[in-house]
Amino acid sequence: MASRRGRPLTSASRGHAQDGGGGSVASRGSRVMAAPEEPCGGAERGREAAGLSRARRDPAAAAMSRCAEDPVSGENEEEGNGINLMEFSDEILLHILSYVPCTDLVLNVRKTCRKLSTLCLDKSLTHTVLLQKDYKVNKDKVKQLMRDIGKEIYQLNMAGCYWLPSSTTDHVTRCKNLVKLNLSGCRITSLRLSKMLSTLQHLRSLAIDVNPGFDASQLSSECKATLSRVSELKQTLYTPSYGVVPCCTSLEKLLLYFEILDRSREGFMLSGQLMVGESNVPHYQNLRVFYARLAPGYVNQEVVRLYLAVLSDRTPENLHAFLISAPGSFAETGATKNLLDSMARNVRLDALQLPKAWLNGSGLLQHLKFNNPFYFSFSRCTLSGGHLIQRVINGGKDLKSLTSLNLSGCVHCLAPESLFRRAEDDIDSSILESLVMSCCNLRHLNLSAAHHHSSESIGNHLCQLLSRLKHLLSLALPVCSITDVAVNMEKPPTQPNAVPQTFGKKTRVGVQTYPRNLADQACQKLESSVFWTLMRSLRFLETLEIIGSSFSSAMPRNEPAIRNSLPPCVRAQSVGDSEVAAISQLTYLQSLTLAQLPNIVTGSGLVSIGLQCQHLRTLSLSNLGMMGKMVYMSALMDMLKHCKCLRDLRLEQPYFSAGSQFFQALSHCSSLQRLCIVSRSGTLQSDAVMSFMANCLEVVMCHMFMGESLTVCRNLQQSIVRRALPVLWEAPRGQMEVGRRCGETQSSQ
């Protein structure tokens, strides 16, 4: 029922790509350690990374407009005792203007006065133009923008501008000096691509989609000449093809995203075979970075094997990053084995990620040579702690260059040997200590999807050891790893005949009362709490995921959906509101994922996070508290009233009631752009949804998978689209921006 190609903002698609694929908010370590979209440098954070939402940037532009309403007197007079914005130095004004979208600068702000007219065309503001997620941009604005500053643009990012017609890309030809161009997610034909690239002689970096119907034979000789100079290519494949890779004879960085379906829209099975002779082996000899991310499906595996077969004939000597993210089972073939053997003999790597089947049971790690590694991913591999220390860290070798380490799903990675070890046994703290000492500059660490239980030894708790990593920016941990061993030991043992927490009627065993005030919680919480200490020491953490080791989303992307998830780990039973409140110490937190915390009673810690973490942009909450009842609704609504910068919200909770009070609280999130609710047996109020969509004008995606009937879902979707249509018409031509706001609303049973 979605109106555009793309997946809902779910655990699966903010991906439940545990192996590093892109996908969903509640993914098991997806945000923290999924291989970055451009894993080996070059991912521009741009103005979006400055931490200011559009709701905060537009008022700044409006303020400058008010200060400069009178082009003459506004620059020379002081208004009362206030400060005239135009009296600031050019350097300060340029810094302020850098937070305003380029379209607003060129089309609006520069018309306010002579001084701003000059500053808005400064090279520091026009060098890079970001149209990604700028949902107010239409074809006419792009045309005017390219006409005014086209020759000054060196980097243009139009990724994900799905609402723009394909003819919009025709205006890119005005950017004669363009060096970097990103058209991922834009609709473009082979002929339009050929015409556009023929004029961009300075282009060195390109990102495009290859859709069904793409024909490389339609590319002109001028276009192929431009492609021959491109050194960086990102290509998303929706059909079996080499795309423009054969034309890029100077490639140094190749990023491939395989999104090919196994069946066509008509239901026919697709084949992954490519035409022989489309590729040329010598074209890959300059390759330094090879990255491939696969969506589920056998066709994607067949096509990527053909790309790898080309590399296996002659491995590039300068290859220093080799990353393949593949969900599920991806068997090793003779060609891939030859490629890996050749890599072990001829290259020294700085970044490595391989499918688990290629590493399990092989001695590959023992033979691979590394130079100054900065990224390792061993997700889901049966890698023991002994092998991790001996083969990867080389017996405690100094690895200060390593900044990202993904050990998601590596059940035995913190134990000396995997043989005869149970998953719930205690970890070997000496292995983690060696890891922390050797990799002291880690920025991103993922230890999720495994039971990492600390022993009773004083000072050797996992949280205490991780607190030494002062440079961490993102962290993913299982719930059972953050519990205090001493507190856990004081709790009475769990009865063997206890009924696991699943759907259905629950046995009441007593409810502990929790204070709603953070100060009272801090008084009740022991000062020696290891998790509180960890949060206190990681003040600059931006991304945090605390996910139950047995958690499985109801809507995963890369694994089968499980009707009844496994019960939480026994040690996780003591993790509740006070631990959640500890997260509020992270002042700079931007993304938070909490899943399968069974001891949430009131959700009071969420209120503390809403009050203290004012930079929070992404929030995902799944299966908190007892599964049979939504126990933290009141606290969640209080929290949302303080989340002014929140853009992405994902809730997965059975029996969730999305009523008027919830949507009224959600309306306080003025910057919200994407909403996803997954609730088995959940309910919603259509009038409340309509009121919410009318108040939150920035919302561009609303996905609700509830227990309502299909008739209710269809009526709600039609009502939202009809109500959105008048807003989408723009004078004077009356052109409609389809999908800017509500065209992507999805509600499913």
Side-chain angles (χ1 to χ4, degrees):
M1 299 174 62
S3 65
R4 63 177 259 222
R5 176 171 57 206
R7 290 171 294 277
L9 187 69
T10 66
S11 301
S13 72
R14 190 177 157 270
H16 271 91
Q18 287 93 342
D19 292 337
S24 132
V25 176
S27 163
R28 198 171 278 161
S30 60
R31 279 280 173 137
V32 176
M33 280 303 306
E37 193 157 295
E38 296 189 6
C40 303
E44 285 194 49
R45 303 182 67 178
R47 300 187 184 96
E48 290 294 330
L52 297 178
S53 66
R54 182 184 314 284
R56 296 176 65 188
R57 293 191 300 240
D58 289 346
M64 284 184 286
S65 298
R66 289 194 296 271
C67 291
E69 283 180 356
D70 187 344
V72 179
S73 62
E75 296 177 0
N76 301 322
E77 297 180 2
E78 294 184 2
E79 298 179 2
N81 296 326
I83 299 177
N84 190 342
L85 192 61
M86 293 299 102
E87 293 181 351
F88 290 154
S89 67
D90 290 354
E91 289 76 11
I92 294 178
L93 288 176
L94 285 173
H95 181 74
I96 295 174
L97 292 172
S98 66
Y99 295 106
V100 182
C102 191
T103 51
D104 286 342
L105 288 177
V106 177
L107 304 181
N108 299 320
V109 178
R110 79 181 180 104
K111 298 178 181 179
T112 56
C113 69
R114 289 189 297 270
K115 185 172 184 178
L116 288 179
S117 178
T118 302
L119 291 178
C120 287
L121 296 180
D122 188 85
K123 289 184 178 180
S124 63
L125 301 178
T126 60
H127 178 276
T128 300
V129 174
L130 302 176
L131 301 182
Q132 184 182 21
K133 297 183 180 179
D134 192 349
Y135 299 105
K136 296 180 180 180
V137 171
N138 58 21
K139 178 183 177 180
D140 292 335
K141 289 183 178 180
V142 174
K143 179 180 179 180
Q144 186 64 39
L145 184 69
M146 301 303 169
R147 181 181 299 170
D148 291 349
I149 63 169
K151 295 181 180 179
E152 307 298 326
I153 301 176
Y154 288 84
Q155 297 185 22
L156 176 61
N157 187 348
M158 297 178 62
C161 294
Y162 58 89
W163 63 90
L164 295 176
S166 58
S167 58
T168 307
T169 56
D170 295 342
H171 305 296
V172 179
T173 56
R174 294 181 179 270
C175 307
K176 303 294 185 181
N177 298 317
L178 206 58
V179 176
K180 187 171 185 178
L181 176 62
N182 190 339
L183 296 176
S184 296
C186 296
R187 293 169 289 180
I188 185 169
T189 63
S190 307
L191 292 175
R192 274 207 162 89
L193 180 67
S194 177
K195 179 182 177 181
M196 178 181 59
L197 294 184
S198 298
T199 62
L200 305 179
Q201 300 180 3
H202 302 285
L203 193 67
R204 295 297 180 270
S205 177
L206 176 65
I208 59 170
D209 292 350
V210 177
N211 293 293
F214 180 86
D215 186 0
S217 63
Q218 295 179 344
L219 302 179
S220 65
S221 58
E222 293 82 2
C223 172
K224 293 180 179 179
T226 298
L227 289 171
S228 67
R229 294 184 289 268
V230 168
S231 60
E232 178 181 327
L233 175 65
K234 176 187 173 185
Q235 189 170 259
T236 304
L237 297 167
Y238 294 98
T239 186
S241 172
Y242 282 120
V244 298
V245 172
C247 304
C248 301
T249 57
S250 303
L251 271 184
E252 295 182 7
K253 184 177 181 181
L254 178 59
L255 311 177
L256 299 170
Y257 295 79
F258 296 87
E259 298 286 345
I260 310 169
L261 300 177
D262 290 343
R263 293 179 179 270
S264 65
R265 292 185 177 181
E266 294 77 19
F268 299 109
M269 297 288 292
L270 295 179
S271 171
Q273 297 299 318
L274 301 180
M275 293 178 61
V276 179
E278 258 189 276
S279 182
N280 199 341
V281 177
H283 294 174
Y284 300 91
Q285 292 316 298
N286 296 323
L287 202 63
R288 296 174 54 82
V289 176
F290 181 88
Y291 173 71
R293 192 193 72 186
L294 284 70
Y298 76 94
V299 174
N300 290 314
Q301 295 184 6
E302 284 187 12
V303 176
V304 78
R305 283 195 178 100
L306 295 176
Y307 279 86
L308 294 175
V310 175
L311 291 174
S312 63
D313 291 340
R314 185 178 177 187
T315 307
E317 298 177 356
N318 296 322
L319 188 69
H320 76 94
F322 187 77
L323 305 102
I324 298 180
S325 172
S329 176
F330 186 21
E332 185 181 26
T333 63
T336 57
K337 188 177 185 304
N338 292 337
L339 171 61
L340 296 177
D341 291 341
S342 177
M343 287 170 50
R345 292 191 305 268
N346 303 319
V347 301
R348 302 181 70 89
L349 296 175
D350 292 332
L352 177 67
Q353 178 177 358
L354 296 175
K356 61 180 181 180
W358 298 13
L359 287 175
N360 291 343
S362 70
L364 178 63
L365 287 178
Q366 191 172 1
H367 302 291
L368 284 176
K369 296 182 286 291
F370 302 104
N371 190 21
N372 292 307
F374 62 88
Y375 180 87
F376 281 149
S377 177
F378 304 111
S379 179
R380 304 284 175 180
C381 295
T382 56
L383 184 69
S384 70
H387 291 164
L388 178 66
I389 298 298
Q390 295 172 11
R391 299 180 182 179
V392 180
I393 304 180
N394 195 17
K397 177 185 176 182
D398 185 3
L399 282 181
K400 292 182 179 180
S401 60
L402 191 66
T403 58
S404 297
L405 179 61
N406 186 357
L407 297 174
S408 172
C410 295
V411 180
H412 308 293
C413 66
L414 298 181
E417 295 295 338
S418 59
L419 211 57
F420 306 115
R421 180 185 180 272
R422 296 178 302 173
E424 61 273 14
D425 288 345
D426 292 344
I427 64 173
D428 187 340
S429 58
S430 63
I431 294 176
L432 181 58
E433 187 171 12
S434 299
L435 180 65
V436 170
M437 292 179 62
S438 301
C439 310
C440 57
N441 290 325
L442 277 177
R443 302 290 195 275
H444 313 280
L445 177 62
N446 190 345
L447 295 173
S448 64
H451 296 272
H452 295 315
H453 298 168
S454 300
S455 63
E456 299 180 55
S457 303
I458 299 176
N460 290 327
H461 194 281
L462 179 139
C463 291
Q464 293 173 318
L465 296 174
L466 292 183
S467 63
R468 303 177 188 177
L469 298 174
K470 302 298 183 181
H471 302 288
L472 276 181
L473 297 178
S474 62
L475 177 64
L477 294 174
V479 176
C480 56
S481 69
I482 68 174
T483 182
D484 257 312
V485 180
V487 175
N488 194 70
M489 295 299 292
E490 291 175 3
K491 296 186 66 176
T494 305
Q495 296 181 2
N497 58 348
V499 180
Q501 288 189 349
T502 54
F503 297 104
K505 188 175 181 179
K506 302 297 183 295
T507 304
R508 183 177 178 85
V509 293
V511 177
Q512 181 181 356
T513 59
Y514 281 78
R516 295 295 298 272
N517 186 277
L518 176 60
D520 295 338
Q521 285 181 338
C523 293
Q524 289 192 1
K525 191 67 182 176
L526 296 175
E527 294 181 359
S528 59
S529 168
V530 291
F531 186 63
W532 275 75
T533 304
L534 176 63
M535 294 294 98
R536 190 182 304 117
S537 62
L538 302 179
R539 287 299 181 91
F540 298 103
L541 201 67
E542 297 178 354
T543 302
L544 176 65
E545 295 189 356
I546 306 295
I547 303 177
S549 51
S550 56
F551 170 75
S552 179
S553 172
M555 298 190 65
R557 178 192 176 198
N558 292 329
E559 57 188 33
I562 300 177
R563 180 73 178 177
N564 288 324
S565 59
L566 298 175
C569 173
V570 174
R571 291 205 184 187
Q573 301 288 348
S574 62
V575 178
D577 295 303
S578 56
E579 283 76 15
V580 174
I583 300 174
S584 63
Q585 299 175 92
L586 303 175
T587 308
Y588 301 100
L589 188 67
Q590 296 184 20
S591 176
L592 174 63
T593 298
L594 300 175
Q596 201 180 42
L597 276 68
N599 202 32
I600 296 294
V601 179
T602 66
S604 56
L606 295 175
V607 183
S608 305
I609 294 174
L611 287 169
Q612 302 298 325
C613 304
Q614 288 296 303
H615 297 283
L616 190 64
R617 292 184 170 192
T618 300
L619 176 64
S620 175
L621 305 175
S622 302
N623 295 2
L624 303 187
M626 298 184 67
M627 293 287 287
K629 186 179 180 181
M630 179 78 174
V631 296
Y632 60 96
M633 174 63 87
S634 178
L636 175 62
M637 291 189 295
D638 289 343
M639 175 194 189
L640 293 176
K641 295 176 182 178
H642 305 289
C643 297
K644 302 301 181 183
C645 293
L646 190 66
R647 295 187 177 185
D648 299 330
L649 175 63
R650 184 184 188 279
L651 299 173
E652 180 174 342
Q653 191 79 31
Y655 306 103
F656 182 83
S657 178
S660 58
Q661 291 183 339
F662 167 75
F663 281 109
Q664 185 176 359
L666 190 59
S667 298
H668 288 84
C669 303
S670 55
S671 300
L672 192 68
Q673 294 182 351
R674 288 170 288 274
L675 171 66
C676 179
I677 302 176
V678 181
S679 179
R680 187 177 298 128
S681 302
T683 59
L684 62 86
Q685 293 183 11
S686 299
D687 294 341
V689 177
M690 295 295 298
S691 177
F692 159 73
M693 296 300 293
N695 293 330
C696 293
L697 302 180
E698 299 294 327
V699 175
V700 295
M701 192 198 81
C702 179
H703 287 229
M704 290 178 285
F705 302 90
M706 314 286 281
E708 300 289 349
S709 65
L710 288 177
T711 301
V712 172
C713 299
R714 289 168 181 164
N715 291 339
L716 176 59
Q717 182 171 0
Q718 292 173 2
S719 298
I720 294 177
V721 172
R722 281 198 302 268
R723 185 166 183 172
L725 289 180
V727 182
L728 301 176
W729 288 85
E730 287 198 0
R733 296 190 177 183
Q735 181 180 359
M736 188 170 66
E737 280 183 50
V738 179
R740 183 181 70 84
R741 285 189 49 206
C742 313
E744 301 156 7
T745 303
Q746 177 163 334
S747 187
S748 179
Q749 196 167 11

